[in-house]
Amino acid sequence: MSTDAGVIDLLGMLAYGELLAFDRMAADARLAPDLGRQARLAEMAAWEMANYRRLANRLTALGADPEEAMLPFVTALRTYHDNTEPGDWLEALTKAYVGEGISDDFFREVAQVLPEGVLAAPDRALVLDVLHDDGYADFAAGEIRAAIAADPKVANRLSMWARRLTGEALSQAQLVAQERSPLTALVLAGMSGGESVDVLFRRLTTAHTARMTAVGLNN
C-alpha cells in the first residue's frame, strides 16, 4: 500500500469537504437575519471554493484525477450534511463552528504529525493553509455567545444540536477510517508507537469539548 495513495485520499477528502462546504454555506447564507451576516457567510463560502480549486490543482499535479480522488468520500460527507440540515441561522452557525472545527482539528493533526517523506512539504503546507483561520470561528462564536446572552434558553437547544452534529461527524469519520485503508495507513504513520485511530478520535473529542465550553454550550 503506497504512501502516495494515502496522500491522494487525504487531499481528496479535504477537497470534497471544501466543495461541499461551499454549497452548504451558500445555502445557509439565506438563513441570515440581515444582509451583513448573509454577505459574511457568502464570503466564507467563496473562500471554500477557492480552497477547493487549490486542492484540485494539487491533485492534478500529483497525477490524480480530482473527481476520482473525491468519490470515495461522497457518501460519508453527504450523509453527514443531509442528516444535519440546519433549521435556522443559529443552527447553521453552530454547524459551521462545530463541524468545521472538528474537520480542521483532524486535518491539522494529521498534517502536523506525519513525518517528512510521508507527507511532502508542499502538501503539508497546503493542508494547513486551507484550514479556516481564526476569523471564521470567531465570527460564529461571537454570534452564538450573543444569542445566548440575549436568551439563555438558547444554550440548551444549541447544545443538543451540537451533540447531534458531533455524533454524526464522528460516526461518518469512523466509517471512512474503516473503508479507506490508504487513508487509515497514512494517519497511523503519524501516530506514536502503540497508538491507534481511537486515540486520535479521543483527542478530537477533547478539542471539541474545549470549543463548546468557549461559547457557553454544554457537552
Side-chain angles (χ1 to χ4, degrees):
M1 186 177 304
S2 70
T3 297
D4 288 345
V7 173
I8 296 302
D9 262 6
L10 182 69
L11 298 181
M13 182 180 180
L14 184 52
Y16 186 65
E18 297 286 351
L19 183 61
L20 196 53
F22 160 77
D23 181 64
R24 300 295 174 160
M25 285 187 184
D28 290 347
R30 294 195 292 268
L31 298 172
D34 56 55
L35 291 178
R37 290 178 173 87
Q38 181 179 2
R40 186 66 183 273
L41 202 60
E43 288 172 355
M44 292 179 185
W47 179 254
E48 304 283 1
M49 179 54 72
N51 285 337
Y52 159 75
R53 176 45 52 196
R54 294 176 63 192
L55 289 157
N57 289 343
R58 180 56 181 164
L59 284 164
T60 300
L62 291 172
D65 180 275
E67 183 175 353
E68 291 181 1
M70 292 187 293
L71 277 176
F73 308 102
V74 168
T75 298
L77 292 178
R78 278 188 177 170
T79 298
Y80 166 73
H81 284 290
D82 289 346
N83 290 347
T84 57
E85 193 74 31
D88 58 29
W89 172 243
L90 287 177
E91 287 189 359
L93 282 177
T94 302
K95 181 176 178 179
Y97 180 72
V98 172
E100 298 298 340
I102 292 174
S103 174
D104 285 356
D105 286 343
F106 169 78
F107 287 110
R108 184 178 295 107
E109 176 142 356
V110 172
Q112 289 175 338
V113 301
L114 286 176
E116 293 292 342
V118 175
L119 187 65
D123 298 318
R124 187 192 310 275
L126 176 59
V127 169
L128 293 174
D129 196 41
V130 300
L131 300 182
H132 304 92
D133 61 25
D134 291 340
Y136 181 93
D138 289 346
F139 169 71
E143 291 285 310
I144 294 168
R145 290 193 197 98
I148 292 173
D151 181 3
K153 290 182 293 186
V154 168
N156 289 331
R157 176 170 72 88
L158 295 183
S159 293
M160 292 179 61
W161 172 241
R163 284 194 289 273
R164 178 180 168 188
L165 293 168
T166 305
E168 188 67 36
L170 293 178
S171 174
Q172 296 305 321
Q174 288 170 337
L175 288 176
V176 169
Q178 293 168 5
E179 295 175 1
R180 296 304 300 172
S181 54
L183 179 60
T184 302
L186 183 72
V187 172
L188 289 174
M191 309 290 282
S192 58
E195 288 189 333
S196 67
V197 175
D198 289 339
V199 176
L200 172 60
F201 283 125
R202 285 198 292 272
R203 287 203 289 264
L204 295 178
T205 300
T206 298
H208 164 72
T209 298
R211 188 178 297 109
M212 293 276 283
T213 301
V215 294
L217 298 180
N218 302 315
N219 290 285

